[in-house]
Amino acid sequence: FVTLSIMATFIKLFVTLSIISLLACSTNAQLINNFYATTCPSLQTIVRNTMISAIKTEARIGASILRLFFHDCFVNGCDGSILLDDTATFTGEKSAGPNINSARGFEVIDTIKTNVEASCNATVSCADILALAARDGIFLLGGPTWMVPLGRRDARTASQSAANSQIPGPSSDLATLTTMFRNKGLTLNDLTVLSGAHTIGQTECQFFRNRIYNETNIDTNFATLRKSNCPSSGGDTNLAPLDSVTPTTFDNNYYNDLIANKGLLHSDQALFNGVGSQVSLVRTYSRNTVAFKRDFAAAMIKLSRISPLTGTNGEIRKNCRLVN
C-alpha cells in the first residue's frame, strides 16, 4: 500500500509538472523565427531597407527605436502599446513621464508599417515591426544581429500608469533597477548587458544634471565637459551622448566609461559601484566586445519574449497609432 501511495503521488506530481510545462511553453509557443515565412516573405527585407534609409538620415534613430522597444516591452509586454496615440477618449503611454517629449522614432515605424502593408496587407503586427526595427537599428550601427522570434499581436489598450511605474528611470539605484528587471523575468546579468544599449544615443540635460553637479563618483573633467552644455538651471532638453567616445557606434565603450566614472546617468554608473557580479561583468565587457555583443543579442531575445499577445489575443493594427 505504501508503494502504491508513493506511485500515486509520483503520478500526480508528474501530471502537474507536465501541465505546468505545457502552460509555460504555450506562452511563447506562437513566437517563432519564421512566423511570416509564407504570409509575408519580404518582411525582413522591407524593415531592413527602411531602417537603412532612416539611419542614413539620422544615426541616432537606431538608439531611439531601441528605446521605444524597451519601453514597450516593460509595459504589459512587447505588444506595441507604446505606439498608440492619445485620443479624446483614450490615454496611452506616450504621455507618461518616461516617454513624453523624449520617446521618438514613431514616424519611422509608421513608414515601415506603410511599406509592409503595401506588400502584405493586414498581416504583420506593429509589435513585430518594432522588434525587427530595433534589431536592425543596432546591427546597422555596428552591433550584433539575431533571429527575432515573431508572431506578436498588437494591444488594443495601453497603460499610462504602468509606464509611469514600471519603466526604470535615469536616477534609479542598483537595487531598484534589479527589482524592476526581475519583475519582468530578467536577471542582474540581463540588466548589465542590456544597459550596454547606452553605447548609442543621447539623453537630455534634465536627466543627468544632478549627477554632474552633485555626485562624487564622477570624473571631474568629464563633469566639467558636460556642464558646458547643461547649466545648473535651464537647458533641460540640451542633449549629450550617453557614450563619451562613439555614440553612433554599437561597441563596448559604454563599459569603459563606467570604469572611468564617466557614466552619464546615475542608473548607468550604479552598475559599477562597489562589488558584485555586475561589476565583474562590466570589466569583462569592457575587455571583450565579442562577449558583449553575443550576450546582448541573447538578452534582447529574452526581452522580446516578455508577455506577448499571440493567437487570437490582440489584433493586427492597420495603423500603428490607432486600434482598429
Side-chain angles (χ1 to χ4, degrees), residues 15-235:
V15 171
T16 301
L17 289 174
S18 296
I19 292 171
I20 291 171
S21 178
L22 285 170
L23 288 172
C25 291
S26 69
T27 302
N28 294 322
Q30 292 170 294
L31 286 189
I32 56 176
N33 294 338
N34 61 347
F35 187 82
Y36 298 105
T38 56
T39 57
C40 192
S42 58
L43 170 63
Q44 307 242 6
T45 301
I46 294 170
V47 175
R48 177 66 57 89
N49 288 341
T50 312
M51 285 301 296
I52 288 172
S53 177
I55 283 178
K56 279 182 179 177
T57 301
E58 182 198 23
R60 182 190 172 200
I61 202 67
S64 298
I65 288 178
L66 173 57
R67 184 171 183 261
L68 276 188
F69 181 63
F70 181 87
H71 284 203
D72 183 40
C73 291
F74 258 65
V75 181
N76 298 330
C78 310
D79 60 1
S81 57
I82 195 172
L83 304 174
L84 291 169
D85 282 346
D86 289 356
T87 68
T89 57
F90 173 84
T91 301
E93 296 163 21
K94 288 182 178 180
S95 52
N99 297 323
I100 191 167
N101 299 324
S102 65
R104 58 196 303 274
F106 299 106
E107 294 79 7
V108 175
I109 301 301
D110 292 338
T111 300
I112 298 173
K113 177 64 171 175
T114 298
N115 294 342
V116 169
E117 285 293 305
S119 180
C120 321
N121 180 52
T123 302
V124 182
S125 68
C126 299
D128 277 344
I129 286 172
L130 181 55
L132 289 168
R135 187 270 311 269
D136 286 354
I138 292 165
F139 174 72
L140 293 168
L141 293 176
T145 191
W146 58 90
M147 293 293 289
V148 177
L150 298 168
R152 298 167 192 79
R153 288 167 67 86
D154 296 320
R156 294 190 180 97
T157 186
S159 176
Q160 186 186 69
S161 60
N164 279 323
S165 63
Q166 297 178 18
I167 296 173
S171 61
S172 299
D173 59 22
L174 183 60
T176 300
L177 291 168
T178 302
T179 298
M180 295 180 88
F181 271 69
R182 186 179 295 129
N183 289 342
K184 303 300 174 185
L186 300 170
T187 66
L188 180 58
N189 284 9
D190 295 326
L191 160 63
T192 307
V193 71
L194 288 173
S195 294
H198 285 176
T199 189
I200 53 175
Q202 302 182 67
T203 191
E204 296 179 352
C205 165
Q206 60 179 318
F207 299 130
F208 62 87
R209 176 182 286 117
N210 185 66
R211 171 148 171 75
I212 62 175
Y213 282 97
N214 298 320
E215 296 186 9
T216 56
N217 61 335
I218 186 168
D219 179 84
T220 305
N221 292 333
F222 175 71
T224 300
L225 173 64
R226 291 293 168 254
K227 287 175 183 177
S228 67
N229 193 44
C230 183
S232 56
S233 62

Side-chain angles (χ1 to χ4, degrees), residues 142-146 193 250-252 285 288-298:
T145 191
W146 58 90
V193 71
F250 196 97
D251 57 21
N252 64 337
Y285 293 148
N288 191 337
T289 187
V290 173
F292 164 52
K293 290 181 178 181
R294 177 198 66 216
D295 292 354
F296 185 86

